[in-house]
Amino acid sequence: MREFVAETTLRPADLILPMFIADGLGTPREISSMPGVQQHTFDSLKAAAHEALDVGVRCVDLFGVPLDADKDADGSQAWNPKGILNRALHELRAEFGDDLLIMADTCLDEFTDHGHCGVVGQDRWGRTVVDNDATLTRYQQMAVAQADAGAHIVSPSGMMDGQVLAIREALDDAGHQDVSIMAYSAKYASAFYGPFREAVGSSLEGDRRTYQQDPANLRESLLEVELDIDEGADFVMVKPALPYLDVLRAVADVSPVPVAAYQVSGEYAMIQAAGRNGWIDLDAVMMESLTSIKRAGANQILTYFATDAAKVLHV
Ligand code: PBG
């Protein structure tokens, strides 16, 4: 009877698995602050993607971790076809064709030596600032390189103004009309990203508060979503998820395009930590958190639990 009257159903196909491909690894490397998540080699990446697809996950989101020596001020490995992320996208597309949706993180922070999501310059007072408009050109090059490599979806996560339109125009000009854009529309300057910074070996000092949103604001998210949809976003995203379910609900109520939510590294780490300590029932909390995100209005959920949750749904 409970199942018969359930208002919310979670499906493996709702889940997107974020994955990390690292350059120069002989064997996969466990990320200590994200137990169960690894920096992958090409072989382990493909194996983990197969494992996810086998239990019904239809989309993976790929982040690249270049060698420190390959980082530079511009993040040029991001649009180099031989850069680690573009090589991995190519390998995955060759392996899976259209059986698995391959999404790419379209942001410079993994590739810049300063760790910011864009090109940095100095303002009139000599302070380091991210140059929004100079960054857009880089995002265009990066998105086209990712589409060339085989990405079905690009996902600009840098919160630069105008990034969706810039990328849409560049993709169309390059003949990639069919490549979709999942826009990180309402992305907050959140401390919940802490473990992710270890996952990608981030070089960031300081914070991203000049381009990511203030956790105090909700209305601002509705404006960001509206702008991104006008610019051509095929999906909009709210991130993080669980602390922002009110934002997610408000966005879902007005969005004419699918709404994704990202259960981020810190959310994952907290559940893992408490679960591994025996303080909570890990599987039960995992499923409850994902069901709540879906109930709040998410169509797609990016979660490091994707394969584990899909396995629970399969039995
Ligand atoms: C930026 C990016 C971040 C995350 C995804 N894309 C980090 C940031 O904005 O600082 C965080 C994801 C997570 O914490 O799981 N490219």
Side-chain angles (χ1 to χ4, degrees):
M1 185 63 85
R2 265 175 106 83
E3 197 183 326
F4 186 54
V5 298
E7 297 170 38
T8 305
T9 335
L10 193 65
R11 305 172 307 148
D14 300 327
L15 307 175
I16 300 172
L17 177 65
M19 303 176 92
F20 303 97
I21 176 76
D23 206 355
L25 284 187
T27 50
R29 186 186 150 259
E30 184 96 9
I31 299 158
S32 61
S33 54
M34 300 174 73
V37 179
Q38 294 168 328
Q39 288 184 348
H40 283 292
T41 63
F42 285 97
D43 285 344
S44 70
L45 180 78
K46 281 188 235 171
H50 273 292
E51 191 190 1
L53 181 61
D54 286 347
V55 288
V57 174
R58 308 303 308 274
C59 183
V60 297
D61 179 22
L62 207 54
F63 294 86
V65 186
L67 297 172
D68 274 342
D70 285 338
K71 295 184 181 184
D72 57 30
D74 284 350
S76 62
Q77 290 305 307
W79 54 86
N80 181 345
K82 298 216 160 60
I84 183 66
L85 178 53
N86 295 324
R87 272 194 290 143
L89 292 167
H90 183 82
E91 293 260 331
L92 282 183
R93 184 65 185 263
E95 177 85 4
F96 291 95
D98 290 332
D99 294 337
L100 181 69
L101 286 170
I102 297 156
M103 180 156 107
D105 186 59
T106 312
C107 188
L108 293 177
D109 62 312
E110 286 100 53
F111 300 95
T112 52
D113 52 16
H114 45 74
H116 274 293
C117 294
V119 180
V120 296
Q122 291 198 331
D123 69 8
R124 291 192 287 141
W125 296 277
R127 293 178 306 195
T128 301
V129 286
V130 173
D131 184 336
N132 188 98
D133 293 4
T135 301
L136 297 183
T137 321
R138 306 303 192 198
Y139 286 177
Q140 289 179 313
Q141 289 170 277
M142 186 176 189
V144 170
Q146 293 176 333
D148 285 346
H152 296 96
I153 307 173
V154 298
S155 57
S157 62
M159 288 299 277
M160 298 300 136
D161 293 338
Q163 62 184 10
V164 174
L165 180 63
I167 288 173
R168 184 72 270 158
E169 287 179 347
L171 288 174
D172 288 355
D173 287 350
H176 291 300
Q177 289 88 351
D178 291 343
V179 172
S180 303
I181 301 177
M182 183 177 286
Y184 284 64
S185 302
K187 178 173 177 179
Y188 286 87
S190 171
F192 284 95
Y193 308 149
F196 177 92
R197 307 251 165 108
E198 180 198 339
V200 298
S202 172
S203 314
L204 183 70
E205 285 168 22
D207 60 62
R208 307 199 198 286
R209 285 187 298 173
T210 61
Y211 43 104
Q212 297 179 349
Q213 282 180 237
D214 185 345
N217 293 356
L218 187 154
R219 260 190 312 228
E220 186 181 19
S221 286
L222 299 177
L223 174 61
E224 291 282 358
V225 162
E226 193 183 326
L227 291 169
D228 281 358
I229 292 171
D230 280 351
E231 290 179 27
D234 300 289
F235 303 80
V236 293
M237 190 200 299
V238 174
K239 176 186 176 185
L242 221 47
Y244 296 86
L245 291 187
D246 56 333
V247 179
L248 180 56
R249 168 45 59 200
V251 169
D253 281 345
V254 297
S255 176
V257 301
V259 178
Y262 199 142
Q263 182 180 52
V264 301
S265 57
E267 299 178 67
Y268 174 85
M270 290 196 303
I271 295 172
Q272 281 286 353
R276 283 169 190 241
N277 267 304
W279 297 337
I280 58 172
D281 178 335
L282 178 57
D283 277 5
V285 171
M286 167 178 82
M287 300 313 289
E288 185 178 331
S289 66
L290 295 171
T291 302
S292 296
I293 294 166
K294 185 98 192 272
R295 189 196 62 236
N299 301 109
Q300 289 81 27
I301 305 173
L302 294 100
T303 173
Y304 303 97
F305 285 123
T307 304
D308 292 347
K311 283 181 184 164
V312 172
L313 293 168
H314 254 267
V315 289

